[in-house]
């Protein structure tokens, strides 16, 4: 039974650099269902991050239609897109992207702050679950890479999003730590039924997903 | 979570990023500190000057009219004379017209000797200058007609010659110049001047006595009058001019050889010019604040650039433009507010020093609000553009920034 969370229809994206148009995405059609776990693969520069950012409402396509939860968001205002990012999406980045002068707890609470619902008990619960209950008041630079990525995962989950977007979440970690992080991500999909779209160039990691999508020359192959 | 608590949180956030960089924050605030301090102090100085002027003229009512011969007409001796007093007396709009013959002379009582002011005038001067007697009486018309050698002392004169402003002086004899005079009265301490005369530093004698025995042609002569009321001042001035021109045989087209001023105008122009000065200095304060505002703007631009990545992260997890705008605007406002508070604390110190060195300054409550309003206005104005720049950043570009 297909239950589409989002649909991309002929999504194109090109960058203009000194008058010349460089096409990056050249007609992407993609449907992601609730509960999916998709790995996005492809050579460097093929447009994986660009696609992920468009799906993540951080970027807008040059043309095409993007339906999120049956709503066309491709022409949404920056404020509406911010709302979708805040309520429906969770980001996990390769380089963690934590705010350095905020504590672990404050970093995790931030999405709640912008939602207008400060959910301290949820933050504690997530940090407990991820084994960070001893680190609440530490700064990110006092933590190891794996710990930082777990803080980022906790942050991405605070507002209980529909979709988790992970751009090479293990890219900056050693393989053992990367494996731990992957276990968490797999659990998110299996236990918490989160929909996950993950960019990776590691075939072994991609194998943990339900479905692998290959991107090459701006097209899904 | 209510919007108040969002504001509180944003405030805390902004505060944190300021204390993360205390030296820079302080240097940024310096312009605001100096500017807000300047405004408060300048207003206090202006108020002090105004008070001083008012005090100086307090012994005169606004209906007083001063007639003198401009000293600029050198050589051509002024024709303003005692005769003019009787010419002016009949004018309807004037209540009192008195001569004022003033100068300085050596006085002595027992061992004490001092060079002090003498004023020869008519008994009407007591009413005109609103003088109160502490002891004895003022001189009368008979004293004037009979050229009685009697004097009334100002408070400071009593202090100089008798050692106290309230000494028993009536009945004593003092030497004025080479002759002996009998003290018949002592005035209350007054503070302030009447035309060229400081009441407290002067002795008062009948005009005829001052003219014949003490000052003669060495005295400075002018005339004081008092108008019936404020409304009749312009008429009175006109009539005085007409009468004096006639009495001095001035032909049409010739310049007046006398000057008529009313106290009301004189005081208000003195107050006005001290106010102009205060406004000028306040403008300097505002310019300093403006420069401080530009300092804030510069640092805010640097901050926004330095924190581009942070802005990207915040946007990625759902911050809207207005969230970022408010965050950075608050930083600018907190810096302004803090600068203001430090400035006000320093202003107390400066105020204390002014008072200590006897510079007339009066702290005024509204100057603190004025300074606060200008400071916050400037913080908002100059904080807005950098904050706006931060808010408008594209999330992807911001996230990529290293
Ligand atoms: N803001 C941009 N301006 C110009 N070119 C860009 C911009 N963002 C990405 N690109 C280009 O688009 C292509 C795809 O980039 P990206 O999506 O990051 O690739 P991947 O994540 O697959 O390595 C690259 O050639 C990159 O240089
Ligand atoms: Mg990439």
């Amino acid at each position: 039974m297909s239950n589409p969370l989002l649909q991309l229809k002929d999504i194109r994206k090109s960058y203009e650099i000194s008058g010349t148009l460089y096409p990056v995405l050249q007609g992407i059609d993609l449907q992601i269902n609730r509960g999916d776990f998709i790995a996005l693969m492809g050579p460097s520069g093929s447009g994986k991050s660009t696609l992920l950012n468009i799906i993540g409402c951080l970027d807008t396509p040059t043309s095409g239609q993007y339906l999120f939860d049956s709503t066309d968001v491709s022409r949404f205002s920056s404020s509406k897109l911010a709302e979708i990012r805040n309520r429906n999406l969770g980001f996990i980045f390769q380089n963690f992207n934590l705010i350095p002068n905020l504590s672990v707890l404050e970093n995790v609470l931030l999405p709640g702050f912008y939602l207008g619902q400060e959910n301290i008990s949820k933050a504690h619960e997530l940090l407990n679950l991820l084994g960070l209950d001893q680190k609440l008041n530490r700064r990110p630079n006092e933590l190891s890479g794996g710990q930082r990525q777990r803080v980022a995962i906790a942050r991405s989950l605070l507002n209980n999003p529909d979709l988790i977007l992970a751009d090479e979440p293990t890219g900056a970690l050693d393989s053992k730590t990367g494996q731990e992080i992957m276990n968490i991500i797999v659990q998110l999909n299996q236990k918490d039924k989160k929909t996950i779209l993950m960019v990776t160039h590691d075939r072994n990691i991609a194998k943990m997903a339900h479905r692998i999508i290959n991107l090459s020359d701006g097209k899904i192959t | 979570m209510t919007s108040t608590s969002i504001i509180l949180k944003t405030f805390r956030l902004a505060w944190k990023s300021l204390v993360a960089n205390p030296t820079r924050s302080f240097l940024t605030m310096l312009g605001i500190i100096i500017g807000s301090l300047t405004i408060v102090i300048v207003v206090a100085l202006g108020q002090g000057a105004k008070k001083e002027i008012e005090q100086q003229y307090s012994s005169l009512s606004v209906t007083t009219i001063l007639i003198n011969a401009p000293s600029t007409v050198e050589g051509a001796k002024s024709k303003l004379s005692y005769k003019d007093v009787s010419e002016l007396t009949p004018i309807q709009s004037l209540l009192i017209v008195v001569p004022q013959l003033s100068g300085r002379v050596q006085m002595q009582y027992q061992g004490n000797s001092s060079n002090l002011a003498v004023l020869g005038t008519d008994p009407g001067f007591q009413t005109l200058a609103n003088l109160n007697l502490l002891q004895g009486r003022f001189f009368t018309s008979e004293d004037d007609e009979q050229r009685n050698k009697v004097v009334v002392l100002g408070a400071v004169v009593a202090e100089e010659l008798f050692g106290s402003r309230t000494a028993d002086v009536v009945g004593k004899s003092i030497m004025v110049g080479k002759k002996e005079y009998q003290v018949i009265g002592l005035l209350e301490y007054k503070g302030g001047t009447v035309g060229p005369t400081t009441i407290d530093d002067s002795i008062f004698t009948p005009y005829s006595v001052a003219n014949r025995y003490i000052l003669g042609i060495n005295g400075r002569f002018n005339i004081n009058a008092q108008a019936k009321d404020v409304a009749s001042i312009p008429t009175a001035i006109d009539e005085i001019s007409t009468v004096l021109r006639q009495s001095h045989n001035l032909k049409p087209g010739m310049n007046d050889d006398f000057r008529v001023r009313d106290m009301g105008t004189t005081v208000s122009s003195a107050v006005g010019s001290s106010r102009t000065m205060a406004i000028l200095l306040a403008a300097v304060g505002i310019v300093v604040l403006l420069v401080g505002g530009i300092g804030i703007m510069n640092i805010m631009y640097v901050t926004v650039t330095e924190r581009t990545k942070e802005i990207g992260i915040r946007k990625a997890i759902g911050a809207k433009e207005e969230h970022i705008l408010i965050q950075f605007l608050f930083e600018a406002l907190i810096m302004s507010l803090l600068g203001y508070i430090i400035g006000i604390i320093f202003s107390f110190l400066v105020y204390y020093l002014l008072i200590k060195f006897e510079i007339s300054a009066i702290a005024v409550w509204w100057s603190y609000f004025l300074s606060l309003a200008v400071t916050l206005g400037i913080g908002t104005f100059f904080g807005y553009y950098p904050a706006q720049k931060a808010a408008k950043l594209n999330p992807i570009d911001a996230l990529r920034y290293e």
Side-chain angles (χ1 to χ4, degrees):
Chain A
M1 188 188 80
S2 91
N3 182 7
L5 174 63
L6 63 88
Q7 280 175 292
L8 302 184
K9 290 176 181 165
D10 196 28
I11 290 288
R12 289 165 190 275
K13 179 77 179 179
S14 36
Y15 290 106
E16 195 188 313
I17 299 167
S18 50
T20 318
L21 274 182
Y22 292 92
V24 177
L25 299 179
Q26 307 188 55
I28 303 286
D29 291 291
L30 176 65
Q31 175 171 327
I32 298 180
N33 296 328
R34 288 181 195 276
D36 264 355
F37 183 3
I38 298 172
L40 183 58
M41 298 193 73
S44 181
S46 58
K48 303 182 295 293
S49 294
T50 305
L51 179 59
L52 197 81
N53 290 338
I54 288 174
I55 291 173
C57 295
L58 285 166
D59 207 353
T60 47
T62 313
S63 72
Q65 212 186 15
Y66 175 15
L67 299 177
F68 186 90
D69 212 2
S70 318
T71 315
D72 187 356
V73 300
S74 37
R75 298 288 171 270
F76 262 25
S77 68
S78 67
S79 166
K80 282 276 197 193
L81 291 175
E83 246 168 59
I84 293 179
R85 291 196 295 272
N86 186 238
R87 289 161 195 264
N88 305 107
L89 304 174
F91 291 93
I92 305 170
F93 301 94
Q94 179 177 0
N95 51 5
F96 325 124
N97 280 344
L98 299 174
I99 294 179
N101 58 354
L102 295 186
S103 70
V104 164
L105 182 62
E106 287 169 325
N107 265 288
V108 174
L109 283 171
L110 215 48
F113 173 63
Y114 291 120
L115 182 66
Q117 286 171 15
E118 192 173 52
N119 204 336
I120 296 185
S121 58
K122 178 77 179 271
H124 278 283
E125 181 195 319
L126 288 167
L127 287 167
N128 271 348
L129 223 59
L130 291 164
L132 291 161
D133 40 329
Q134 302 301 314
K135 311 282 182 193
L136 297 184
N137 297 312
R138 297 294 178 83
R139 304 277 137 159
N141 62 4
E142 299 168 45
L143 303 182
S144 71
Q147 288 170 330
R148 289 187 214 185
Q149 196 58 299
R150 279 183 279 156
V151 175
I153 292 172
R155 181 180 67 186
S156 76
L157 294 171
L158 187 82
N159 286 354
N160 201 16
D162 306 306
L163 176 64
I164 303 285
L165 297 165
D167 196 347
E168 308 202 32
T170 61
L173 304 173
D174 62 70
S175 62
K176 183 172 164 286
T177 318
Q179 192 54 53
E180 286 167 19
I181 294 298
M182 276 318 298
N183 289 341
I184 295 169
I185 291 174
V186 169
Q187 284 296 306
L188 287 180
N189 177 249
Q190 288 182 352
K191 250 182 73 212
D192 303 320
K193 307 292 173 219
K194 296 289 177 199
T195 312
I196 294 171
L197 176 62
M198 174 182 69
V199 170
T200 182
H201 52 247
D202 185 329
R203 199 147 287 280
N204 290 324
I205 284 176
K207 273 190 206 148
M208 297 179 173
H210 302 165
R211 183 149 68 110
I212 298 179
I213 294 172
N214 273 295
L215 201 61
S216 154
D217 292 331
K219 285 199 168 92
I220 292 176
T221 54
Chain B
M1 193 155 64
T2 62
S3 58
T4 345
S5 103
I6 287 195
I7 289 189
L8 278 176
K9 285 234 149 192
T10 312
F11 214 82
R12 235 189 55 197
L13 194 75
W15 171 258
K16 271 177 99 163
S17 83
L18 288 180
V19 294
N21 221 329
T23 315
R24 186 165 86 186
S25 301
F26 178 76
L27 289 175
T28 309
M29 287 184 294
L30 209 53
I32 298 292
I33 293 173
I34 296 171
S36 48
L37 178 144
T38 310
I39 289 187
V40 169
I41 288 302
V42 151
V43 171
L45 284 173
Q47 209 66 12
K50 192 176 156 210
K51 176 96 183 288
E52 212 158 62
I53 289 164
E54 280 169 358
Q55 220 163 34
Q56 201 178 7
Y57 292 103
S58 64
S59 42
L60 285 186
S61 83
V62 290
T63 50
T64 306
I65 296 174
L66 305 174
I67 306 153
N68 61 5
S71 48
T72 45
V73 199
E74 204 61 52
K77 203 172 170 309
S78 165
K79 284 180 190 145
L80 197 65
S81 68
Y82 187 66
K83 187 178 76 104
D84 291 326
V85 176
S86 35
E87 298 278 348
L88 294 173
T89 306
I91 293 177
Q92 283 293 307
S93 49
L94 297 179
L95 281 180
I96 306 168
V97 183
V98 294
Q100 253 192 314
L101 185 63
S102 53
R104 299 189 76 84
V105 73
Q106 201 67 27
M107 302 174 198
Q108 196 188 328
Y109 176 74
Q110 294 177 349
N112 299 331
S113 170
S114 193
N115 191 278
L116 295 164
V118 180
L119 181 70
T121 184
D122 282 356
F125 185 82
Q126 189 194 354
T127 319
L128 183 132
N130 194 18
L131 302 178
N132 293 322
L133 282 156
L134 202 62
Q135 302 166 15
R137 61 174 180 91
F138 210 70
F139 53 81
T140 59
S141 317
E142 289 94 73
D143 291 325
D144 189 42
E145 282 154 21
Q146 296 162 16
R147 296 201 188 108
N148 292 335
K149 295 203 189 67
V150 291
V151 293
V152 175
L153 306 188
V156 173
V157 176
E159 191 172 27
E160 296 268 323
L161 297 181
F162 293 88
S164 158
R165 290 180 183 181
T166 54
D168 265 330
V169 298
V170 175
K172 306 264 163 64
S173 288
I174 63 171
M175 294 293 292
V176 178
K178 301 218 157 28
K179 293 194 169 65
E180 201 164 273
Y181 288 74
Q182 200 197 2
V183 179
I184 58 166
L186 172 62
L187 297 175
E188 273 178 9
Y189 181 76
K190 182 98 176 153
T193 63
V194 177
T197 312
T198 309
I199 300 289
D200 304 308
D201 294 348
S202 301
I203 63 166
F204 301 84
T205 71
Y207 174 80
S208 60
V209 175
N211 187 36
R212 174 169 289 229
Y213 303 124
I214 308 174
L215 294 167
I217 55 159
N218 296 322
R220 237 174 84 87
F221 184 78
N222 50 92
I223 299 172
N224 275 5
Q226 189 171 355
K228 272 208 303 237
D229 47 41
V230 175
S232 56
I233 290 172
T235 331
I237 291 176
D238 270 359
E239 287 177 318
I240 290 167
S241 296
T242 313
V243 170
L244 288 180
R245 286 186 69 89
Q246 228 162 40
S247 145
H248 296 186
N249 290 320
L250 297 178
K251 309 231 152 37
M254 285 171 73
N255 287 335
D256 287 349
D257 60 353
F258 54 86
R259 191 166 58 148
V260 185
R261 285 177 304 154
D262 69 292
M263 273 327 291
T265 313
T266 308
V267 173
S268 65
S269 79
V271 169
S273 65
S274 86
R275 183 177 300 149
T276 310
M277 187 54 96
I279 289 172
L280 227 79
L281 288 169
V284 171
I286 289 174
V287 169
V288 174
L289 276 179
L290 275 174
V291 174
I294 293 169
I296 286 189
M297 184 158 74
N298 278 329
I299 292 299
M300 289 300 293
Y301 272 125
V302 173
T303 306
V304 167
T305 307
E306 278 178 355
R307 285 161 62 191
T308 301
K309 179 101 182 177
E310 178 194 323
I311 294 164
I313 297 170
R314 287 178 181 274
K315 289 201 155 192
I317 60 176
K320 295 181 182 178
E321 287 182 11
E322 62 255 35
H323 290 126
I324 304 293
L325 183 82
I326 290 174
Q327 179 189 340
F328 282 91
L329 206 51
F330 270 24
E331 274 188 34
L333 279 177
I334 290 177
M335 273 200 277
S336 313
L337 203 64
L338 220 59
Y340 167 80
I341 292 169
I342 297 173
I344 293 306
I345 291 171
F346 274 110
S347 83
F348 294 145
L349 188 75
V350 173
Y351 185 70
Y352 169 78
L353 289 176
L354 288 176
I355 298 301
K356 197 171 168 190
F357 290 100
E358 291 183 347
I359 296 165
S360 172
I362 297 166
V364 197
W365 64 269
W366 56 258
S367 68
Y368 296 95
F369 286 94
L370 175 73
S371 181
L372 179 63
V374 176
T375 303
L376 291 185
I378 276 172
T380 313
F381 185 81
F382 286 104
Y384 187 81
Y385 291 97
Q388 173 87 347
K389 183 192 166 193
K392 290 278 180 210
L393 281 176
N394 175 308
I396 281 300
D397 295 340
L399 268 178
R400 285 220 176 127
Y401 186 89
E402 286 302 337

